[in-house]
Amino acid sequence: MDKKIVICDFDGTITKRDTLDVFLERYAHPDWHIWEKKWFEGEIGSRECIRKQFDLIDGMTEEELYRFLRSVEIDDYFSEFYNLAKSKGIKVAIVSDGFDLIIRTILEHNGINDIEIYTNHLEFNNGVFTMKFPNISTDCKKESGTCKCKIVNTFKKIYNTIFYVGDSVSDFCVCDKADYLFAKHRLLNYCKEKNIDFIEYNTFYEVIKNDRLGLNV
């Protein structure tokens, strides 16, 4: 039997917009863009970038944080996709360089509370954010908080077929490690530049309807 897994990025992939970018735009000092540029150009890793950016958030309350997270919209077809995959015995996991507190709060608000998530850890107490990075790798050239390559390579030992769904920079290093890649936005352009095979998508509707995955109904 062909054991399949669908690995999904979160920000900008499951959510309609990049949650962290919107969050920082709204609550952080504008200098967060400086660190974003340094990360995008490869001068710093994502761990350093996100620490510096969150240091620029001052005076946030718990009420503000959770009000924002409950306002985040997810892809209109993600819940349908996830339920179909479960019904077909296809594993779905989220692998993100974001944060568990943010991802779980958004998903639970949308009625999803049983999905496997690999990401960075975030706590918020008395106005202070505390971060931990349980999924780092000493081999990670990007110095990412969550080394997606390490996690995907582990899954490759368990599953026969790897599907990956992504959209942006944090997916660049891992996109050539999947058997089938769904790409949009910056990831799509990167794959074109590097001659990496991909399946273009805009929403999870196209993922559902793709014959390779076998969810087409």
Side-chain angles (χ1 to χ4, degrees), residues 2 8 25 48 56 65 100 105 107 116 122 132 156-157 171 181-182 196 204-205 209:
D2 184 17
C8 302
E25 193 69 60
E48 180 180 357
L56 297 171
L65 173 61
D100 51 4
T105 301
L107 290 178
E116 200 167 292
L122 183 69
K132 295 180 181 178
K156 287 172 77 74
K157 299 174 184 177
D171 306 307
L181 171 71
F182 292 90
I196 297 171
F204 273 85
Y205 178 81
K209 293 299 181 182

Side-chain angles (χ1 to χ4, degrees), residues 12-13 164-172 175 181-203 206:
T13 297
Y164 191 91
V165 189
D167 79 302
S168 196
V169 180
S170 69
D171 306 307
F172 287 2
C175 66
L181 171 71
F182 292 90
K184 64 178 178 179
H185 300 158
R186 286 177 175 171
L187 180 59
L188 182 149
N189 293 330
Y190 175 82
C191 290
K192 287 181 177 178
E193 291 171 7
K194 302 296 183 181
N195 293 316
I196 297 171
D197 290 337
F198 66 92
I199 304 162
E200 184 175 356
Y201 80 104
N202 292 301
T203 70
E206 287 89 2

Side-chain angles (χ1 to χ4, degrees), residues 32-179:
W32 76 268
H33 289 285
I34 296 173
W35 298 106
E36 189 80 359
K37 186 173 184 290
K38 287 179 180 290
W39 168 66
F40 186 75
E41 294 178 350
E43 294 181 30
I44 60 173
S46 67
R47 291 199 301 277
E48 180 180 357
C49 176
I50 200 64
R51 285 188 188 279
K52 296 290 189 182
Q53 289 175 326
F54 269 62
D55 284 345
L56 297 171
I57 300 170
D58 186 39
M60 168 162 278
T61 66
E62 190 170 296
E63 180 184 355
E64 284 177 313
L65 173 61
Y66 285 97
R67 183 170 61 244
F68 168 79
L69 295 178
R70 289 191 294 268
S71 75
V72 175
E73 294 183 306
I74 66 170
D75 185 290
D76 294 332
Y77 298 94
F78 181 75
S79 294
E80 180 183 356
F81 155 76
Y82 181 51
N83 289 328
L84 276 171
K86 286 197 297 181
S87 73
K88 299 281 189 179
I90 298 173
K91 175 86 170 183
V92 177
I94 293 171
V95 179
S96 167
D97 209 10
F99 292 106
D100 51 4
L101 184 152
I102 291 173
I103 294 171
R104 292 193 185 280
T105 301
I106 293 169
L107 290 178
E108 287 172 5
H109 183 66
N110 285 274
I112 301 170
N113 54 24
D114 59 347
I115 195 166
E116 200 167 292
I117 299 171
Y118 299 82
T119 189
N120 307 313
H121 178 65
L122 183 69
E123 296 178 10
F124 183 66
N125 296 297
N126 300 318
V128 177
F129 289 101
T130 303
M131 302 173 186
K132 295 180 181 178
F133 301 94
N135 297 300
I136 62 173
S137 170
T138 54
D139 296 324
C140 183
K141 296 177 181 178
K142 297 290 186 180
E143 298 181 354
S144 299
T146 293
C147 180
K148 295 186 175 185
C149 294
K150 174 184 175 181
I151 295 167
V152 170
N153 284 334
T154 299
F155 279 134
K156 287 172 77 74
K157 299 174 184 177
I158 303 169
Y159 294 91
N160 303 111
T161 309
I162 305 284
F163 295 83
Y164 191 91
V165 189
D167 79 302
S168 196
V169 180
S170 69
D171 306 307
F172 287 2
C173 60
V174 76
C175 66
D176 61 349
K177 294 175 174 57
D179 297 294

